[in-house]
Amino acid sequence: MNIGGAAPGAEAQSAALRRAQALLVRLYFSDALQRRYLADPERVFAQLGLSPRFRACFPDVGSEAFGAECRGRRILVAREIAARYARTFELLLEELPEAGPLRFNHIVASELFCSFIASEHFLGRSRSLPAAAGIGVGYEGVSKFFFWLDETFGLSLPGAPGELRIRAFAEFGRQLVAVSKFSSDAFYAGLARGAFFRMAVEDRCCIVITAELAVESGVQLGEREGLVDLDALVASVKATFPGGAPRARPAAALTR
Amino acid sequence: MTQIKIGARWDISSQNPRFARARDAGLLDYVEVNYPVADNHGADTLGLPIFAHTSNNPIASAAGIPEPVARAVKAGADASDSPWIGEHLAWLSAEDSGALGYVFTPLLMEEFAEQAAHNARCLAAYYGRPLALELAPVYCPSGEFASELHFLNEVARRAGCDIILDVAHWQISNRNLRRPADYGLDALDAERIIEIHVAGMRKSAGAPYWHDAHGMPLNDDVLAMARRLTRCLPKLRAITFEHAHDAPEQEFYDNLRRLREVVS
């Protein structure tokens, strides 16, 4: 239950405000929605049941200024996830600069990143893990990006691209173990001792993320006790997503 | 005029050593904790008053404010007996909860002004403490109000809230919208401005737009405006320096010293 929100008797107006809010926020991140909007803004507002007054109050989405704000926001998101998925990005993006603004610019300009920030994984709140501070889901981009990678590339399915699965799971796992050191959310409690995942979906050979955040490969299932099974954890979390556990699908291919 | 206190924004426990050194050097009067934080944060061990602040409540959201965030902020504010709670007159996402990396300035429409005022009144009642509202930087004009500052003042007036004037955000907006540096100050009830924020700002590479940049030092324009505000705002009580936790430590101390010179 949210504090404030629709005042009594103003539910219809509140619903319109929510649609207007959602439209503007999504326009900052979705290039496809921007194109659709710029081609025929009146149609977009009509489809959402928003009056011409909303149209008149929106910023100029086609302006350089709006573009500058979009870019600034996207760079912030890129900084957050690039720091945690450095090796994953090196595999996914060609000619990725080593560090600094050039690296973020390269990520922001990539089809991969643009696809992520336009997705429901990013724009929604349900396909993510609880925030470390115990305030619920949908507040950070690191887990959103992992679950988007997992679904887009089929990382949890037989035949998943091997090196991508290893890098993404390892970096995601390190993030979870690191967060467990200071989080107040019960979700992370068991991760403080470390985690493991299978090198391939049906493999008995595992990679371990230790409590000290070291990554050790070639460990056999059963050799390390007390660690969280990351494959099982990911599956159980995805079962709570809208639509439940995803159906088996081939890994999508995105151009690098 | 009440003595103006100087503080700094606190986000993460790795800042504790530099905050302790700044305290020992007489550079800090308070810590502004950006809630929610981890339970074992340690800001409360610094021996300085804590002012509660958050950028995680969407005051202007049509969906209202998620209770888990407000609960965490209230707990922090109650533990430190914060004199007020700083909030953002903003949206955070397209959904009923969650966030997308940085606050969004809402559509400057009458309906969103009333929505924000309603949310702020409800939140202040929930907290049992006064709110002080601040704006995010603006890049494009929108809506029906003369400016985002007129919108802020109208919401504050309707909700009975105070105002935090974020000088960096304000200067960024004025530059981005090609307005004079002091544009909008006369749109705000001077008596509502109880706190100002100061921070670095950066310009886009190859484009005439400015952005919030807590990793950068204070520029002369922000400092000059802060000096001016200390002399013209009758109820100003606090100036908070917002500096990224991983920005150069010496810069933290140097900028706090410059702020003290401004206020003196």
Side-chain angles (χ1 to χ4, degrees):
Chain A
M1 181 63 123
N2 281 11
I3 297 167
E11 289 80 7
Q13 174 178 284
S14 178
L17 296 186
R18 289 163 80 138
R19 293 195 299 274
Q21 177 177 334
L23 173 61
L24 181 53
V25 169
R26 286 168 178 268
L27 280 168
Y28 286 111
F29 296 102
S30 172
D31 293 336
L33 180 60
Q34 279 192 20
R35 287 191 293 271
R36 190 158 66 88
Y37 178 94
L38 290 171
D40 192 347
E42 282 73 23
R43 181 181 171 86
V44 171
F45 282 96
Q47 286 175 335
L48 290 171
L50 295 173
S51 71
R53 195 163 140 261
F54 282 98
R55 166 78 177 97
C57 287
F58 259 53
D60 182 354
V61 173
S63 66
E64 185 186 39
F66 190 86
E69 183 171 1
C70 289
R71 182 172 170 73
R73 292 184 180 281
R74 296 178 186 202
I75 287 177
L76 281 177
V77 176
R79 280 186 180 155
E80 181 194 6
I81 61 175
R84 306 305 192 288
Y85 294 100
R87 297 198 67 228
T88 303
F89 273 110
E90 286 163 9
L91 187 63
L92 287 167
L93 299 181
E94 287 179 347
E95 298 178 352
L96 184 64
E98 277 204 17
L102 289 178
R103 186 178 180 92
F104 302 131
N105 291 345
H106 192 93
I107 291 171
V108 166
S110 70
E111 181 184 341
L112 178 112
F113 180 80
C114 290
S115 181
F116 165 61
I117 61 170
S119 72
E120 285 309 303
H121 287 76
F122 176 72
L123 291 169
R125 61 188 170 95
S126 303
R127 295 173 177 82
S128 62
L129 294 180
I135 56 174
V137 299
Y139 288 92
E140 47 76 33
V142 176
S143 66
K144 289 180 178 183
F145 185 65
F146 173 80
F147 287 110
W148 178 82
L149 281 178
D150 179 78
E151 181 167 320
T152 301
F153 292 96
L155 299 183
S156 297
L157 298 174
E163 186 60 26
L164 180 60
R165 169 183 160 83
I166 287 171
R167 293 192 189 198
F169 265 78
E171 293 187 308
F172 179 58
R174 288 189 84 240
Q175 172 68 8
L176 297 188
V177 174
V179 168
S180 73
K181 310 295 186 189
F182 62 86
S183 176
S184 56
D185 195 291
F187 176 87
Y188 296 96
L191 284 151
R193 292 185 297 274
F196 73 93
F197 63 94
R198 293 156 189 76
M199 293 183 72
V201 172
E202 294 164 329
D203 207 333
R204 286 190 59 81
C205 207
C206 298
I207 291 177
V208 166
I209 298 115
T210 70
E212 295 76 30
L213 303 181
V215 178
E216 300 175 0
S217 59
V219 181
Q220 291 297 314
L221 261 177
E223 284 183 0
R224 300 287 181 94
E225 291 187 359
L227 305 184
V228 170
D229 182 337
L230 209 49
D231 288 298
L233 180 69
V234 168
S236 69
V237 171
K238 290 195 297 183
T240 68
F241 289 173
R247 295 177 292 279
R249 48 178 276 187
L254 285 181
T255 56
R256 295 179 61 185
Chain B
M1 188 177 288
T2 306
Q3 183 186 11
I4 298 169
K5 298 186 185 305
I6 305 284
R9 171 174 166 157
W10 186 102
D11 290 280
I12 192 170
S13 59
S14 63
Q15 293 172 284
N16 286 348
R18 64 178 64 182
F19 271 66
R21 283 190 271 273
R23 172 203 63 204
D24 294 342
L27 297 175
L28 278 180
D29 300 316
Y30 67 89
V31 178
E32 182 157 293
V33 175
N34 193 45
Y35 289 101
V37 295
D39 286 344
N40 57 350
H41 58 82
D44 51 346
T45 65
L46 289 167
L48 290 168
I50 289 178
F51 289 7
H53 190 82
T54 186
S55 50
N56 287 288
N57 277 331
I59 295 295
S61 174
I65 297 155
E67 204 268 341
V69 177
R71 183 169 60 235
V73 177
K74 176 175 167 53
D78 288 347
S80 62
D81 195 21
S82 182
W84 61 81
I85 299 176
E87 297 274 357
H88 283 248
L89 181 52
W91 300 334
L92 287 180
S93 78
E95 304 275 326
D96 291 0
S97 63
L100 295 175
Y102 196 76
V103 293
F104 299 86
T105 300
L107 285 168
L108 306 181
M109 297 174 68
E110 162 59 30
E111 289 86 345
F112 275 109
E114 187 50 39
Q115 178 71 71
H118 173 65
N119 290 344
R121 287 191 297 267
C122 292
L123 189 61
Y126 176 87
Y127 283 155
R129 288 176 199 276
L131 301 190
L133 304 178
E134 70 166 287
L135 286 166
V138 173
Y139 292 75
C140 299
S142 78
E144 306 160 320
F145 285 76
S147 77
E148 73 282 6
L149 296 136
H150 294 79
F151 182 85
L152 168 64
N153 201 67
E154 184 60 21
V155 173
R157 186 187 64 78
R158 294 185 193 184
C161 291
D162 290 315
I163 289 172
I164 295 172
L165 180 56
D166 189 303
V167 177
H169 294 176
W170 177 38
Q171 294 305 297
I172 288 167
S173 300
N174 282 345
R175 292 182 185 198
N176 287 344
L177 297 174
R178 315 290 187 267
R179 302 182 307 207
D182 62 356
Y183 174 88
L185 185 58
D186 58 357
L188 301 173
D189 293 340
E191 306 240 334
R192 291 189 190 277
I193 304 173
I194 60 170
E195 181 181 351
I196 65 174
H197 282 180
V198 292
M201 39 198 280
R202 69 171 180 86
K203 191 165 173 289
S204 291
Y209 296 99
W210 290 79
H211 309 278
D212 204 12
H214 293 185
M216 299 192 64
L218 301 175
N219 65 34
D220 292 340
D221 292 339
V222 168
L223 279 167
M225 187 58 76
R227 176 190 291 272
R228 173 178 167 179
L229 293 173
T230 61
R231 282 135 176 85
C232 73
L233 296 178
K235 296 293 176 66
L236 184 64
R237 295 169 60 183
I239 303 177
T240 301
F241 174 41
E242 298 190 289
H243 196 234
H245 68 90
D246 54 354
E249 186 172 342
Q250 189 58 46
E251 205 172 86
F252 181 64
Y253 308 130
D254 292 344
N255 280 269
L256 285 172
R257 285 194 185 91
R258 293 179 76 192
L259 265 178
R260 292 224 164 250
E261 291 167 8
V262 161
V263 171
S264 64

